[in-house]
Amino acid sequence: MYDLKKQGQAAKQASFVLMAMSQEKKSKALLAVADSLENNADKILAENQKDLETLLKNPAKASFADRLKLTKDRIAQIADGVRKVELLPDPVGEVTGMEKRPNGLIIGKKRVPLGVIGIIYEARPNVTVDAAALCIKTSNACILRGGSEAFHSNKILVDIMNEALDGAGFPKGSVSLVEDTSRETAAEMMRLNEYIDVLIPRGGAGLIRAVVNTATVPVIETGTGNCHIYVEKSADITMAREITVNAKTSRPSVCNAAESLLVDEEIAKDALPAIAEGLKPFHVEIRGCEKTVKILPQAVLATEEDYYTEYNDFILSVKVVSGIDEAIRHINRCGTKHSESIVTKNYEASQKFLDEIDAAAVYVNASTRFTDGFEFGFGAEIGISTQKLHARGPLGLKELTSCKYIIYGNGQVRG
Amino acid sequence: MYDLKKQGQAAKQASFVLMAMSQEKKSKALLAVADSLENNADKILAENQKDLETLLKNPAKASFADRLKLTKDRIAQIADGVRKVELLPDPVGEVTGMEKRPNGLIIGKKRVPLGVIGIIYEARPNVTVDAAALCIKTSNACILRGGSEAFHSNKILVDIMNEALDGAGFPKGSVSLVEDTSRETAAEMMRLNEYIDVLIPRGGAGLIRAVVNTATVPVIETGTGNCHIYVEKSADITMAREITVNAKTSRPSVCNAAESLLVDEEIAKDALPAIAEGLKPFHVEIRGCEKTVKILPQAVLATEEDYYTEYNDFILSVKVVSGIDEAIRHINRCGTKHSESIVTKNYEASQKFLDEIDAAAVYVNASTRFTDGFEFGFGAEIGISTQKLHARGPLGLKELTSCKYIIYGNGQVRG
């Protein structure tokens, strides 16, 4: 049987050493990792080729090949990503809110690593390096569990990183791969509370749901985005069209792409044809309510389920609403609390939407596609949180840390 | 069958209204709740009497009577607690970090309620009111699930609060009690992800473990404290004695009480008898390692399990350690990440302890008993978090909130 407990133990041990690791040492390690990946590109490509060959034996899985495939260029990009992480400011160690209490105790809050982070993800070898680099930067140990289709690629990547980390004086166990990709071992990982402090699943809705349902380790839920564009009655129709087209078509497979369009009844007759015209070159299928179908003959009738669906495809659900109240109710009911946008010229409507929509990112007059750690200026991202605990929205370096209170006394006892 | 789903739905609906509730309205509601509790003291006492009579039929449970029993004075104290919460600054609505991005988007972070908070607790009717008041103040709806022994008390308290909330224009479902106290319904509550945003268990180690193991709703783990006092070799022995006596004996039943004492080998012969002398009037049982037993003949030999135990009683485990490295390793292995204190005169030792101990609150030269929302100056507390996600240490009003990004644009689309 695979000894995940032992792996967890090693990661936990390493995390205590990493806690006190200097920024200099972490920087050296990251640069060594980046160089080592580039210098070993041939080895990586050979292992990646094994994964690709196995994958392509199963035609049903051929569509995953693009995510799985590495090239010299992609490896260089991945290495550059590590170098960019190295350049970011280190959040660990910052002390804030240091205050003196009436009894003379001085209390402050110190930013510290989370400890051991478990990352569960699909067959994307780039995530292996990205996630490890972000954890190294924030003094966290990490246990990586990637999709089985990428096993050989992940194994060689982790081996190469570990050689570099070893040379940089990092303790064994700082970065490790779960080498048994069975579901049982994944489930065991999700309940390894003794050694793993936080789980971050990265992937599709099915993966996230499995982790949330199985885990006893605290989870940061990421990812699924059923995002809406709401065109309020005062909206500039040209702006509404541009935002909708961008949010739907610029990259439909990602979580911040729009999946649903809501249009106020009062302007639906003008707005819907204009927006549909903009979507036409992208062959977007429109699934609308009865009112939509009356205005847009090319639309098919949506089912109730459509309004809950993240298509990740060139499909858009559309609903004509009576006004902002119905729009907000609909979004809060059907959305996934990711990113929501209103197009409006009305001050009151903009404020109401910002106040009452329950989502990680709420926009006025902009595309939902901006919800992203880089676009928000964090310089990095390990996912987008759609839960309310700990962190919401793009998870940057700071979101990979926790705090502890530090208290300076001179003999105080409690009366 | 009890319809918990319906109750969850009502709470969720209410939470959307509460999200936009003004501070004025919340203040009025809290004051009305406080008055109403005092005005209905007789009704409350009558229901409380029913719970007490049932409890006392079972002699094994008699020790819980003190926690369960209400009096006019206790009700007045509870009402005053609500008035104090009303006076605290409201964290909801604050916007921070508003910044302009190169593309003209203005992005900021707005503090918002968590939504629906589920509180699972033991037979302490005061928690019913405390928790509800903190949730009202922070615009959260709450679902309360108290111990079955306090059912009649909790029911009348929630009924009285709801009458007052109703009068203050709060939506139904803002505060509700799970009226079926079966384990099945509790388990259902822990998995009601659709309607409950966060679970906060308050109680003993068994309750917390049950919630962590069963819940799919995100949990803030609170409570268990296996806290240590470490007497470093340079320590002032008088200070070490006073801190240990205070941390162990001032209120042994609470989570920030010390359960274990570590003493450097070099000063054990002087420090241990002095500390034991201080503990003597409190009849503290000492369970020590072999070295301890040699120095303190009154000590009994500790088992390995003792070092993992939160006694909540006049018992103290003691270990003589070779130095600060062993002390830190021992605490990080056996502790519960709650509160840990070093007594020292040495600068380097103090910094090392603050850096390397993995706990919510790390002290130099002070009693662990200060880990408390009131002592830390938060003016309120719903528990003490021992996990690293979301919040660590005392949970005040701010910890009952989340954030969302708000983004002002003027037509931006992503390139």
Side-chain angles (χ1 to χ4, degrees), chain A residues 387-405:
Chain A
Q387 74 178 29
K388 294 189 195 170
L389 268 198
H390 187 69
R392 225 172 168 186
L395 302 166
L397 293 179
K398 202 174 155 188
E399 285 69 33
L400 293 179
T401 65
S402 178
C403 282
K404 69 181 175 193
Y405 287 97

Side-chain angles (χ1 to χ4, degrees), chain B residues 282-355:
Chain B
F282 302 95
H283 309 289
V284 174
E285 181 186 331
I286 294 174
R287 303 189 185 171
C289 64
E290 282 180 19
K291 286 177 187 162
T292 306
V293 173
K294 268 187 201 153
I295 299 170
L296 297 178
Q298 71 269 44
V300 300
L301 204 60
T303 63
E304 175 66 11
E305 211 199 320
D306 275 303
Y307 295 112
Y308 288 92
T309 303
E310 183 187 18
Y311 300 114
N312 284 330
D313 204 345
F314 289 94
I315 307 172
L316 183 70
S317 69
V318 179
K319 196 180 174 85
V320 174
V321 294
S322 59
I324 189 163
D325 285 311
E326 189 187 344
I328 290 172
R329 268 200 315 276
H330 177 90
I331 293 172
N332 282 341
R333 190 178 73 238
C334 303
T336 52
K337 306 192 194 308
H338 194 296
S339 301
E340 310 294 350
S341 181
I342 184 174
V343 186
T344 186
K345 282 183 190 164
N346 181 284
Y347 173 75
E348 211 180 325
S350 71
Q351 292 300 314
K352 187 176 167 75
F353 194 82
L354 288 172
D355 279 352

Side-chain angles (χ1 to χ4, degrees), chain B residues 221-239:
Chain B
E221 206 176 326
T222 66
T224 30
N226 178 16
C227 307
H228 298 73
I229 307 292
Y230 164 49
V231 181
E232 197 264 341
K233 63 177 186 244
S234 71
D236 176 304
I237 290 180
T238 307
M239 188 191 282

Side-chain angles (χ1 to χ4, degrees), chain B residues 49-66 68 123 149:
Chain B
Q49 194 54 36
K50 289 186 197 167
D51 286 331
L52 279 168
E53 276 164 21
T54 312
L55 185 86
L56 293 172
K57 279 181 197 153
N58 183 348
K61 290 195 166 176
S63 63
F64 296 119
D66 180 55
L68 179 56
E149 298 88 348

Side-chain angles (χ1 to χ4, degrees), chain A residues 305-318:
Chain A
E305 211 199 317
D306 274 303
Y307 295 112
Y308 289 92
T309 303
E310 183 185 18
Y311 301 114
N312 284 331
D313 204 347
F314 290 93
I315 307 172
L316 182 70
S317 69
V318 179

